[in-house]
Amino acid sequence: MTQNHKALFIIFGGTGDLAYRKLYPALYRLYKKNYLNENFAVIGTARRKWTDAYYEQVVYDAIADIKESDEDAKQFANHFYYQSHNVKDTDNYISLLNLAEHLDEKYAIEGNRIFYLSVSPSLFGEISSHLKAENLLSEDGFNRMIIEKPFGTDLENSESLNNEILKALTEEQIYRIDHYLGKEMIQNLLALRFANPLLKNIWNKNFISNMQITLAEDIGVEERGAYYETSGALRDMVQNHVLQIVSFLLMDEPNSYDSEAIREVKVKALQDLKSINSTNVTENYVRGQYTTSDRYPEQVGYTDEHEVDPNSIVETFVAGKIESKNENWSGVPVYIRTGKRMKAKNTRIDIVFKESENAFLVDNETQSNVFSILIGPEQGLSLQLNNKSIGHEFEVEPVQLSYKQEDDAPEDYERLILSALSGEKTNFVHWDELAESWKYIDAIRQAWSESESPLHLYEVHTNGPEEASRLLEKEGHYWIWDE
Ligand code: NDP
Ligand code: BG6
């Protein structure tokens, strides 16, 4: 049965891009599905001097494409209030507290508060300490703080950011968003691995040859050049999304399916990753940057993007070979790649199984069994098997069994906000996971800076530099997806 949640959302960065494109539509979907009903209100805050009426109109516009009717959209937008607020200014928190208490009573919210920090991470510490000092943390209901990536720029920076927040809130109250954890097919990884004896029994080094994780994007850095210059693909995509997927693929079976038990095995999987250093970085990692192509003269290279240094050596592509020290995974590489301006948007995992030594392999047409988990834009599964071709001859050829997931799955932010309302933390990133992933990433950055590891240019609308394929080819493997 759908549970109607009671909560006051205080969104810092209420005038920003994320709030407009993701948060307001997600809240509306929860409203339409009755997870939020009458007992909720939203305070949007930012420095801009907006009125409540203007803010309501912004929210109304943000849901224009998905609203069921004008009436319904207006009723939803009526739950939104705006307060102009510089997060550095103490007095503003006092007004915010008064408004919060008023709305708490008006909507019978029972003191439940979700603070959504949709602002630069450099403001997280300041906001947290003010929330505590100015008594915005409710004593009656729950206090939960949702924070957005990037969680710092390296382990040291992330640790100090975290320590700032921990002065006001506990780890239990912090919900770090990695929107990949809100994706249907990522959440499905647990079910696929552990609810199917067929897969569970062969999910190990005896049967799996290699795993491949692809997070390819056809878009460039768009309007985010300034941010991307401080991040690059390694921090933007590998530190969070890719390593989260790696931990789901390599983790042992948890003792139970509660968030603590799952977190424990995920952290262990990250701790087991073989570390990269300046002597092995070039053979295990390839970095690239997109450049112009004669075939697409209208598209600029990375160094000509808005707010990007013309001499930038920031990587827009990373491919790598990840190995685990865990004996269960000895000899099974996990190949990863992610990049901007690749041929197509495609997010997928391909599990390549070992071939068996038998007479059928004499026939050149047989191929490895491959289990593919399609995360986006198409969602589904596919299994490649070798099958006898129809006819009088005994010939074997590969066929695909495919399953396509329906399009009506809940959207990432909708799912994650509902998890935060329910206090369900499995799909949020715990500090222990974050610390381990930064250790792995910091070592790569350090190795790149100490070694001669080159930055390879790749033309827009290709699948990255050729060196990325060589990572696999030298071990007799090849990318399963290579459109
Ligand atoms: P924007 O720059 O669009 O929004 C930033 C918000 O912060 C604005 O509402 C701005 O409003 C407010 N703000 C800035 N300084 C202050 C201040 N001193 N006091 C009060 N408010 C302030 O950024 P995004 O919405 O894109 O991103 C927000 C966060 O989400 C960032 O951490 C980003 O990394 C993360 N994120 C964003 C994604 C996206 O798709 N946009 C995806 C993943 C993460 P004003 O100027 O009116 O004060
Ligand atoms: C974000 C990155 O975390 O993920 C973006 O900051 C990237 O650079 C985006 O475009 C990709 O997400 P998705 O859901 O489109 O694969």
Side-chain angles (χ1 to χ4, degrees), residues 170-450:
T170 62
E171 172 66 32
E172 215 26 59
Q173 294 172 314
I174 304 172
Y175 289 67
R176 297 179 193 85
I177 287 223
D178 179 325
H179 76 279
Y180 265 62
L181 299 185
K183 289 186 188 288
E184 185 67 40
M185 295 308 286
I186 300 287
Q187 295 194 353
N188 196 11
L189 288 173
L190 276 181
L192 290 171
R193 279 198 57 190
F194 302 114
N196 296 296
L198 182 75
L199 287 176
K200 187 170 151 176
N201 291 323
I202 58 171
W203 205 269
N204 56 50
K205 65 176 180 195
N206 299 327
F207 294 92
I208 294 180
S209 155
N210 66 91
M211 306 193 195
Q212 304 180 9
I213 301 172
T214 300
L215 274 60
E217 296 190 88
D218 49 355
I219 55 168
V221 292
E222 315 280 280
E223 298 307 311
R224 298 168 72 215
Y227 153 74
Y228 206 82
E229 279 284 274
T230 65
S231 148
L234 191 68
R235 289 186 178 113
D236 188 45
M237 298 292 275
V238 184
Q239 180 271 321
N240 34 67
H241 313 321
V242 173
L243 288 184
Q244 279 294 324
I245 297 175
V246 169
S247 66
F248 276 118
L249 295 180
L250 298 185
M251 73 186 205
D252 293 336
E253 183 170 12
N255 292 333
S256 72
Y257 288 91
D258 65 39
S259 59
E260 257 177 61
I262 295 171
R263 186 221 317 152
E264 207 171 289
V265 286
K266 283 175 74 190
V267 170
K268 167 81 171 45
L270 292 171
Q271 283 168 339
D272 281 345
L273 300 185
K274 285 190 189 165
S275 185
I276 297 297
N277 54 48
S278 56
T279 50
N280 66 17
V281 69
T282 308
E283 71 195 67
N284 288 298
Y285 272 86
V286 170
R287 53 178 164 167
Q289 187 187 78
Y290 64 82
T291 185
T292 50
S293 157
D294 291 343
R295 283 180 300 150
Y296 302 95
E298 73 288 359
Q299 256 161 29
V300 298
Y302 176 68
T303 49
D304 284 323
E305 295 279 14
H306 182 53
E307 295 187 316
V308 168
D309 177 353
N311 299 313
S312 176
I313 54 158
V314 165
E315 78 288 349
T316 60
F317 174 96
V318 177
K321 177 175 127 187
I322 293 182
E323 291 175 292
S324 171
K325 288 180 279 189
N326 184 328
E327 193 36 43
N328 292 337
W329 292 115
S330 163
V332 183
V334 181
Y335 299 110
I336 61 159
R337 72 182 150 166
T338 181
K340 300 276 186 200
R341 282 273 184 258
M342 291 175 66
K343 275 189 191 166
K345 172 79 180 167
N346 199 343
T347 310
R348 61 188 286 146
I349 302 166
D350 296 291
I351 310 294
V352 184
F353 289 93
K354 289 185 169 166
E355 295 188 10
S356 65
E357 288 173 19
N358 64 34
F360 291 127
L361 295 182
V362 177
D363 186 326
N364 288 333
E365 293 298 307
T366 59
Q367 288 184 12
S368 305
N369 293 149
V370 180
F371 178 51
S372 301
I373 301 159
L374 311 178
I375 300 164
E378 190 185 334
Q379 296 178 32
L381 304 171
S382 136
L383 178 63
Q384 176 169 283
L385 298 175
N386 292 307
N387 184 58
K388 182 190 161 302
S389 334
I390 296 173
H392 293 300
E393 308 302 323
F394 195 89
E395 282 175 358
V396 177
E397 62 177 5
V399 292
Q400 313 277 343
L401 306 185
S402 298
Y403 159 72
K404 187 173 182 309
Q405 189 103 348
E406 293 302 325
D407 285 341
D408 60 358
E411 198 266 341
D412 314 345
Y413 275 87
E414 171 190 344
R415 202 190 291 267
L416 292 173
I417 293 175
L418 180 59
S419 297
L421 278 166
S422 315
E424 165 54 56
K425 293 204 74 181
T426 309
N427 298 315
F428 292 89
V429 182
H430 189 277
W431 167 252
D432 295 348
E433 294 168 70
L434 189 58
E436 290 307 326
S437 61
W438 273 125
K439 279 182 208 161
Y440 185 78
I441 295 298
D442 287 354
I444 300 173
R445 292 219 80 83
Q446 172 84 12
W448 274 344
S449 71
E450 287 169 3

Side-chain angles (χ1 to χ4, degrees), residues 85-100:
H85 177 136
N86 186 327
V87 299
K88 297 170 198 268
D89 189 342
T90 305
D91 288 348
N92 283 326
Y93 289 90
I94 296 163
S95 323
L96 199 56
L97 174 63
N98 291 336
L99 181 57

